[in-house]
Amino acid sequence: MTAQTYWAEYALLDRPPEGPGPAGRAVEPGVVVTTGPDGTITALRTRVPGPPVGAVSLRGLTVPGLANAHSHAFHRALRGAGEVHLHRPGPGGSGPAAGGSFWSWRDTMYEVAGHLDPDTYFSLARAVYAEMALAGITCAGEFHYLHHAPGGSRYADPNAMGEALAAAAAEAGIRLTLLDTCYLTSGFGTGPTVPQLRFSDGTADAWAERAGALRDGPRLRTGAAVHSVRAVPAEALSTVAHWARERGAPLHVHLSEQPAENDACREAHGRTPTRLLADHGVLGPGTTAVHATHLTGEDIALLGESGTGVCLCPTTERDLADGIGPAGRLRQAGVALSLGSDSHAVIDLLEEARAVEMHERLTTGRRGHFTATELLAAASGNGHAALGWPEAGRLETGAAADFTTVALDTVRTAGPPAALAAETVVFAAGAADIRDTVVAGRHIVRDGTHQLVPDVPGALAAAVAAVRGR
């Protein structure tokens, strides 16, 4: 990789405490970003009125690359299909629609999972990660539990499905944290169902042995995940936590997404899922709890005191009628918030960021909980930290050269002054307004066109059709 110079019309930069004006992030005009052969930012200059000779122009607001901290790539094949059953008539063809919940949606998800193999998974994930790049996402955290063949038989390479995901991200040009997930049971004291057999390694030790064979790469890092307290027995939680801590790897866990999970955990263990995780050493600075929608006050305090982060996935949480998480109370407890698109009902981290504030407004009847720069930090720096990439998520010398540019001249973003570019981007822009995406200094998306996957819509359509049998 060679050195490259970019000229950003505007860029969101950290303002040091000793500089003019208040500390924090501010929009700066005319920023020259020089990247080195190692994929880092080697120099920054501000207030350069035009692009230097040979520089690549980035028109709009350039921000640190977005981090999608929670992804299930194969869920992308459910887009649209998950809505159909909600409006069918009840039994006998009359009466109200049957409706649905997370649990009925899950049945459809299992059906899709049953059609995947390493080849179809690679094709689908490559297209999904390319869609993410078009949305300004430079790093994804793949919560990966689709380990084995249908029925639970092993592939010749026990990590064939994970390797397919890693190869897909590499071809799409983004960073990936493969969060290899331990998934052993269908509920408290019950074995996996038939669709879940391909998720399970049988024991936590067997999971650890298989996951231990995974290797990091230039833009690939490996982490661990506890699928949930219902899918990993209490006595196995510490095995997963130890595996992650020993390697300094990120550890993620679905937490309190559904009230039914909380009720079942209390019945089985006499405590909430958060307390159960705390008691078995899962919580801590390297851990991210995903969703954390239905928490008690004690749960929130435990997360804050332990230094555990929380990844919110607002578009999925509302799509599945899961509920609205306590973002404001989590922030007050000192919890770092990151964002994910989870089931990929949409892939738009700006919408996820906007939803955090908007959902707080709906639940409190009050505006102004999170600033635009706080929400961008959740969508970028906090997400990269949660995924084990602390060198990314900021525009400064020595940081990873990962950034994305949002157009300021579309029908959604035109009009506001440049000083309000961050507010415009967070509260009005969307994935369709992403113009450029750079990963490790490499121009992956240029003027809205993916440079490595030339026809992303076509790739998505073909991959989804192959999975869904159309």
Side-chain angles (χ1 to χ4, degrees):
M1 190 179 299
T2 60
Q4 180 64 63
T5 300
Y6 297 90
W7 177 82
E9 183 182 19
Y10 298 99
L12 189 65
L13 302 181
D14 288 327
R15 179 182 287 154
E18 65 274 11
R25 286 188 166 179
V27 176
E28 297 285 350
V31 177
V32 173
V33 184
T34 303
T35 68
D38 62 350
T40 65
I41 296 173
T42 58
L44 281 173
R45 286 188 293 145
T46 61
R47 300 188 179 275
V48 178
V53 174
V56 176
S57 294
L58 304 174
R59 297 285 178 178
L61 177 68
T62 296
V63 300
L66 306 180
N68 190 348
H70 191 66
S71 164
H72 298 293
F74 77 92
H75 289 189
R76 175 61 176 80
L78 290 164
R79 190 178 293 181
E83 308 301 319
V84 176
H85 71 283
L86 301 179
H87 304 288
R88 289 174 179 160
S94 61
S101 67
F102 166 84
W103 306 102
S104 58
W105 170 89
R106 191 178 69 161
D107 292 337
T108 307
M109 181 265 286
Y110 285 164
E111 181 183 350
V112 169
H115 294 295
L116 288 161
D117 59 32
D119 291 335
T120 54
Y121 207 9
F122 165 79
S123 297
L124 178 60
R126 173 178 175 268
V128 173
Y129 295 147
E131 182 182 358
M132 289 187 193
L134 288 171
I137 294 165
T138 56
C139 182
E142 186 62 36
F143 201 99
H144 166 55
Y145 55 82
L146 198 55
H147 301 306
H148 308 297
S153 61
R154 274 41 175 174
Y155 292 108
D157 175 359
N159 284 308
M161 295 294 272
E163 298 291 355
L165 291 166
E171 290 212 7
I174 69 170
R175 299 183 194 270
L176 184 74
T177 297
L178 186 66
L179 297 161
D180 197 281
T181 303
C182 186
Y183 194 134
L184 305 175
T185 60
S186 62
F188 297 96
T190 58
T193 63
V194 172
Q196 295 168 340
L197 288 172
R198 69 182 310 189
F199 308 160
S200 176
D201 290 293
T203 67
D205 288 337
W207 165 83
E209 181 179 0
R210 181 189 51 74
L214 293 164
R215 294 291 178 263
D216 292 352
R219 286 180 292 281
L220 171 69
R221 291 182 182 168
T222 305
V226 170
H227 179 273
S228 57
V229 294
R230 70 177 185 273
V232 179
E235 64 272 14
L237 292 171
S238 60
T239 300
V240 185
H242 176 74
W243 188 97
R245 304 285 188 253
E246 189 177 45
R247 291 163 173 76
L251 174 62
H252 288 217
V253 54
H254 287 136
L255 177 64
S256 292
E257 182 177 4
Q258 284 287 322
E261 177 184 289
N262 290 353
D263 294 342
C265 186
R266 286 191 182 96
E267 183 177 349
H269 296 288
R271 67 201 81 177
T272 67
T274 305
R275 171 54 73 181
L276 185 67
L277 294 174
D279 290 347
H280 289 273
V282 176
L283 302 186
T287 300
T288 297
V290 181
H291 301 303
T293 306
H294 302 281
L295 301 179
T296 66
E298 181 189 7
D299 292 340
I300 292 172
L302 281 171
L303 294 172
E305 292 164 3
S306 64
T308 302
V310 166
C311 176
L312 303 172
C313 306
T315 64
T316 291
E317 289 149 9
R318 69 192 185 203
D319 179 60
L320 299 181
D322 285 342
I324 296 174
R329 289 188 291 149
L330 287 166
R331 194 261 305 274
Q332 290 170 3
V335 175
L337 301 178
S338 55
L339 300 170
S341 62
D342 190 4
S343 69
H344 311 313
V346 296
I347 295 178
D348 189 338
L349 263 286
L350 297 177
E351 172 59 24
E352 305 291 348
R354 177 162 56 245
V356 172
E357 167 66 19
M358 296 306 178
H359 289 181
E360 279 293 292
R361 293 182 185 185
L362 288 174
T363 57
T364 66
R366 185 168 54 83
R367 304 176 78 234
H369 302 270
F370 295 88
T371 67
T373 53
E374 287 173 332
L375 294 170
L376 282 172
S380 183
N382 292 2
H384 282 101
L387 295 176
W389 298 90
E391 68 272 35
R394 60 191 185 279
L395 294 177
E396 62 181 46
T397 302
D402 296 7
F403 40 90
T404 188
T405 303
V406 189
L408 297 176
D409 58 359
T410 73
V411 292
R412 289 165 293 278
T413 60
L420 298 178
E423 288 75 14
T424 303
V425 163
V426 171
F427 292 105
D433 300 304
I434 300 297
R435 184 167 279 160
D436 297 272
T437 301
V438 173
V439 182
R442 187 182 185 187
H443 211 163
I444 302 301
V445 173
R446 187 164 190 161
D447 292 330
T449 300
H450 201 292
Q451 303 299 292
L452 306 178
V453 184
D455 180 12
V456 178
L460 283 164
V464 171
V467 172
R468 297 193 62 84
R470 296 196 307 274

